[in-house]
Amino acid sequence: LTKTFTKRTEPGQRQSVEHEGYVVHCYVRADGLGGTVTTDQEYPARVAFVLLGQLIEDFTNEHGDSWKTVTTPESVVFTKAEEYLQKYQNPAEADKVTKIQKDLDETTQIL
């Protein structure tokens, strides 16, 4: 499904698609390189797109434009992906804006 959603995302665009209780966040850069992240419905979309942007940027730094000639995307190794997925398990820890919002919400509840 993620390939279908990515193909339906215009270059330079981002979209979030709900599917069977999950949300697939898609981002395709203007040059056609794209990615998806599947999250539960509570995961902040903004954080998912920050993750996608960082993943795609690091992927480009590691592989350059070689992705344009790849015929089987599954064959491309990108070891940093697992590192990012671990970091972003808790959006409040991975993203400063989300952490500040969480702290503000907790402070408001106390008051």
Side-chain angles (χ1 to χ4, degrees), residues 82-108:
E82 187 63 36
E83 178 183 321
Y84 275 108
L85 293 177
Q86 290 300 319
K87 177 181 177 183
Y88 278 82
Q89 288 297 310
N90 181 350
E93 293 300 319
D95 180 67
K96 291 177 183 178
V97 173
T98 303
K99 181 172 179 15
I100 290 168
Q101 183 63 51
K102 181 182 174 191
D103 291 345
L104 284 172
D105 291 345
E106 289 174 359
T107 302
T108 303

Side-chain angles (χ1 to χ4, degrees), residues 36-55:
T36 63
V37 174
T38 304
T39 67
D40 60 21
Q41 293 180 339
E42 290 79 36
Y43 199 90
R46 193 186 73 71
V47 179
F49 287 118
V50 168
L51 167 60
L52 279 170
Q54 290 180 347
L55 278 169

Side-chain angles (χ1 to χ4, degrees), residues 20-77:
E20 296 182 6
Y22 294 95
V23 181
V24 180
H25 305 279
C26 304
Y27 171 46
V28 178
R29 290 192 324 190
D31 64 1
L33 181 60
T36 63
V37 174
T38 304
T39 67
D40 60 21
Q41 293 180 339
E42 290 79 36
Y43 199 90
R46 193 186 73 71
V47 179
F49 287 118
V50 168
L51 167 60
L52 279 170
Q54 290 180 347
L55 278 169
I56 291 171
E57 184 69 27
D58 276 359
F59 180 87
T60 303
N61 290 340
E62 186 174 316
H63 293 284
D65 285 341
S66 66
W67 62 271
K68 292 179 179 181
T69 59
V70 172
T71 56
T72 54
E74 298 81 12
S75 68
V76 179
V77 177

